[in-house]
Amino acid sequence: MRVLLSTYGTRGDVEPLVALAVRLRARGAEVRMCAPPDEEFAERLAGLGVSLVPVGPPVRELTRGTGLPSDAELARYRSELLDTQFALLPAALDGCDVLVAAGLAQIAARSVAEAAGVRYVYVSYAAVHLPSPHHAPPPRPGWPKPTETDNRTLWALDAELLDAQYAEQLNAHRAALGLPPVGTVRDHVLTDRPWLAADPAVGPWRTIPGLEVVQTGTWSLPDERPLPDDLLTFLDAGAPPVYVGFGSMSPARDIARGVIEALRAQGHRALVSRGWAGLGLIDDGDDCFAVGEVNHQRLFGRVAAVVHHGGAGTTVTAARAGVPQLLVTAPISDNPYWAGQVAELGVGAALEGPAPSAESLGVALENVLAPETRERARALAAEIRTDGAAVAAGLLMGDLRPA
């Protein structure tokens, strides 16, 4: 079997497909992946023997600075990415038996698969991206923020915004391929049987009529990399520190300072992850340490809590480690959803960014570091699955049936 995996986004969008690629290759499948051309993605895939088809501009172009591009720039990026997908996906799909598309940016994928007569599977990494009366749509940067509060109304408005951005352009490409026009772009991309690569214990799907969601569990791989010696020395030198990191997001300039000062006020050490924003320390105190890319699966078991941006991967990794979490989120994509889930499960707290006050940080950290929060986090860890990518690979290869 030959499989094409396609996504566009940051590391949190790419890594789940990497896990699926590894599981598919272990079953004898040939895998190639469409992803952004950022150097770290190219190196990651090359090391696994997975062919990369670069699509779109480097994602770091969109995440530079502490703010997003303007609304007009985002609209241009989306339009150009759609044209690029129609230009490159057909050749990438040649000889493949199935196309797995992750994320709503994959507007062209289903049409290309349809024209080639190839099976198409859409996957979301969070339930919030799938329409349901049980939750509102995620915030979409560059589009008007609605004032309505009814979830059904909000999803209808969300569909209208997607159609306004993509419908005319998408249907022009479909006509060029000899395909009929689509009605609602979002429903066309998602299909009526999308997959959900999220852990049922952390981000469950609530069944609704008309949408048959296949929840596989999170797609991840065991990480056996050892922690660096200098990091181990810091960890061994005192009580477990609090991890502070924002991944590929660009948080407010002084967020690291604010968290470190709040931790010091409560007598805790801090471990700062530089991330794409290049965060650093505020002084040379021996109660703080900065790290680059390290194994979170090993690290999170050694920390007192994890302060982060609310990415799906970081949220489930911290939950699997049984460690409390404080999510400092911007209103982007699924970040507020995961913040809400962590708070609802009682395994942490959430603050809306970009720069929470010192007082709110202090109160939130006290709650997160309370013994009862850690007890709930440990209990949740026992419920989390680790076989999501293997389950998905089995479904694609035809030797498993959906639950």
Side-chain angles (χ1 to χ4, degrees):
M1 174 182 277
R2 293 184 177 90
V3 182
L4 177 64
L5 310 176
S6 185
T7 192
Y8 187 83
T10 62
R11 182 176 178 183
D13 298 283
V14 175
E15 279 296 322
L17 288 187
V18 169
L20 178 60
V22 170
R23 296 307 183 202
L24 286 169
R25 282 171 55 83
R27 292 171 177 263
E30 179 184 316
V31 184
R32 64 188 71 147
M33 187 185 301
C34 293
D38 297 74
E39 183 177 350
E40 68 181 79
F41 302 148
E43 292 178 352
R44 176 80 165 124
L45 293 173
L48 297 169
V50 177
S51 299
L52 170 65
V53 179
V55 176
V59 173
R60 285 192 186 234
E61 288 186 4
L62 294 173
T63 59
R64 288 175 179 162
T66 57
L68 288 169
S70 68
D71 293 357
E73 288 173 325
L74 285 170
R76 177 176 59 81
Y77 270 115
R78 290 176 175 128
S79 178
E80 291 176 353
L81 182 60
L82 180 57
D83 287 338
T84 300
Q85 288 171 354
F86 271 108
L88 298 179
L89 284 180
L93 190 60
D94 185 39
C96 291
D97 304 290
V98 59
L99 191 164
V100 179
L104 199 54
Q106 299 297 296
I107 303 295
R110 185 178 180 182
S111 297
V112 172
E114 186 180 343
V118 169
R119 179 185 174 196
Y120 167 81
V121 176
Y122 175 83
V123 61
S124 173
Y125 300 146
V128 73
H129 292 296
L130 303 175
S132 168
H134 301 302
H135 55 251
R140 303 200 191 278
W143 288 337
K145 185 177 180 180
T147 57
E148 302 287 340
T149 56
D150 176 72
N151 287 341
R152 288 183 173 84
T153 303
L154 288 170
W155 279 108
L157 292 171
D158 181 72
E160 291 176 7
L161 289 171
L162 282 162
D163 285 345
Q165 169 77 60
Y166 292 117
E168 182 178 354
Q169 186 181 4
L170 171 62
N171 283 325
H173 280 288
R174 286 179 61 84
L177 294 172
L179 300 174
V182 301
T184 303
V185 172
R186 187 190 65 216
D187 294 346
H188 164 77
V189 172
L190 299 184
T191 77
D192 57 5
R193 196 170 181 269
W195 291 12
L196 176 57
D199 193 274
V202 184
W205 173 254
R206 299 172 65 180
T207 303
I208 61 170
L211 202 60
E212 184 184 351
V213 174
V214 178
Q215 187 161 15
T216 63
T218 303
W219 297 354
S220 61
L221 293 171
D223 192 343
E224 304 298 337
R225 293 175 299 161
L227 297 176
D229 289 342
D230 56 350
L231 173 56
L232 288 172
T233 299
F234 175 75
L235 293 172
D236 292 338
V242 173
Y243 171 94
V244 182
F246 296 90
S248 56
M249 301 293 291
S250 295
R253 188 180 308 276
D254 291 331
I255 186 65
R257 173 179 292 276
V259 176
I260 290 172
E261 290 176 346
L263 288 170
R264 280 178 168 169
Q266 297 180 25
H268 297 289
R269 302 197 300 159
L271 177 61
V272 177
S273 174
R274 296 185 182 91
W276 282 18
L279 300 180
L281 304 178
I282 61 176
D283 54 38
D284 58 0
D286 61 7
D287 60 344
C288 297
F289 190 80
V291 294
E293 163 60 24
V294 296
N295 182 344
H296 284 174
Q297 292 179 19
R298 285 187 185 271
L299 175 61
F300 285 0
R302 300 283 312 268
V303 302
V306 174
V307 179
H308 65 102
H309 60 298
T314 309
T315 301
V316 76
T317 302
R320 189 178 293 147
V323 62
Q325 307 179 49
L326 171 58
L327 280 66
V328 183
T329 63
I332 299 173
S333 189
D334 56 351
N335 295 7
Y337 166 78
W338 292 116
Q341 290 298 109
V342 164
E344 183 177 330
L345 290 165
V347 297
L351 294 172
E352 289 190 8
S357 67
E359 181 181 0
S360 63
L361 271 173
V363 172
L365 285 168
E366 284 184 359
N367 292 334
V368 166
L369 293 164
E372 56 270 25
T373 307
R374 177 167 286 277
E375 283 295 316
R376 288 190 292 267
R378 287 174 175 165
L380 176 64
E383 302 178 30
I384 295 177
R385 297 169 50 178
T386 59
D387 63 344
V391 169
L395 291 171
L396 286 172
M397 300 291 285
D399 54 328
L400 287 178
R401 293 178 178 270

